[in-house]
Amino acid sequence: SFSEAEVQSARGAWEKIYVDAEDNGTAVLIRMFTEHPDTKSYFTHFKGMDSAEEMKQSDQVRGHGKRVFTAINDMVQHLDNTEAFLGILNPLGQKHATQLKIDPKNFRIICDIILQLMEEKFGGDCKASFEKVTNEICTHLTNIYK
Ligand code: HEM
């Protein structure tokens, strides 16, 4: 669980990147798709996935980037309430494990890209303040597969 100080600094860090949720969520997805092209195989219904430029223009990628960031934002609002936090994360994890069949190694990949973007845009303190959140998310998502 998170101390009051951890909750506050994680929220502050997240607010910086969430201000531009659609752009930053899209940037995270594009980096995942270009650096780990196998992740594109889960999105066969997305059109225009051949280059980063195409993906940037894609309403499907943009919409999904926004959706992923909105889900994380909901979790960030409940860092001080483990039950509520898991109430959001567990059903999402169930869907990724059973219906979407996402290889769980990809959760670490997307979380590391979020942290990387935070560091590039807002510095090392921003990244450090959010690492515990991404660790919690990855740990719980991966545990669902066990
Ligand atoms: C769908 C969030 C990681 C692949 C979704 C949805 C959300 C979401 C909110 C929509 C769920 C719904 O409609 O009920 C997240 C979060 C992640 C994460 C918060 C980690 C921090 C991943 C990863 C992959 C992935 C790593 C694959 C590499 C998908 C796919 C869908 C989906 C294929 C369905 C998309 C569609 O049909 O339009 N995710 N996701 N997700 N996610 Fe994730």
Side-chain angles (χ1 to χ4, degrees), residues 33-126:
F33 292 144
T34 47
E35 292 181 359
H36 304 271
D38 54 305
T39 58
K40 289 200 282 183
S41 67
Y42 300 106
F43 296 87
T44 49
H45 56 301
F46 280 22
K47 313 258 179 265
M49 297 285 280
D50 293 331
S51 70
E53 266 322 301
E54 267 185 9
M55 291 182 221
K56 225 179 204 167
Q57 311 299 327
S58 158
D59 288 343
Q60 287 175 308
V61 175
R62 299 197 69 81
H64 193 64
K66 180 77 195 290
R67 214 170 292 132
V68 171
F69 263 40
T70 301
I72 297 173
N73 190 58
D74 290 344
M75 296 173 213
V76 169
Q77 304 316 310
H78 297 99
L79 296 177
D80 49 2
N81 180 344
T82 304
E83 205 178 321
F85 181 79
L86 294 180
I88 298 161
L89 189 51
N90 282 335
L92 198 60
Q94 284 294 344
K95 181 164 189 174
H96 283 72
T98 60
Q99 189 181 329
L100 299 167
K101 300 191 179 1
I102 307 302
D103 185 328
K105 76 172 196 293
N106 293 311
F107 299 131
R108 190 27 82 191
I109 287 174
I110 197 171
C111 282
D112 284 345
I113 294 172
I114 293 169
L115 294 174
Q116 211 176 58
L117 198 68
M118 280 181 152
E119 183 168 35
E120 287 168 17
K121 291 196 149 190
F122 309 112
D125 287 349
C126 182

Side-chain angles (χ1 to χ4, degrees), residues 122-142:
F122 309 112
D125 287 349
C126 182
K127 173 188 174 178
S129 299
F130 204 65
E131 269 177 331
K132 190 165 171 181
V133 177
T134 51
N135 282 341
E136 289 281 312
I137 291 174
C138 286
T139 302
H140 285 291
L141 286 175
T142 305

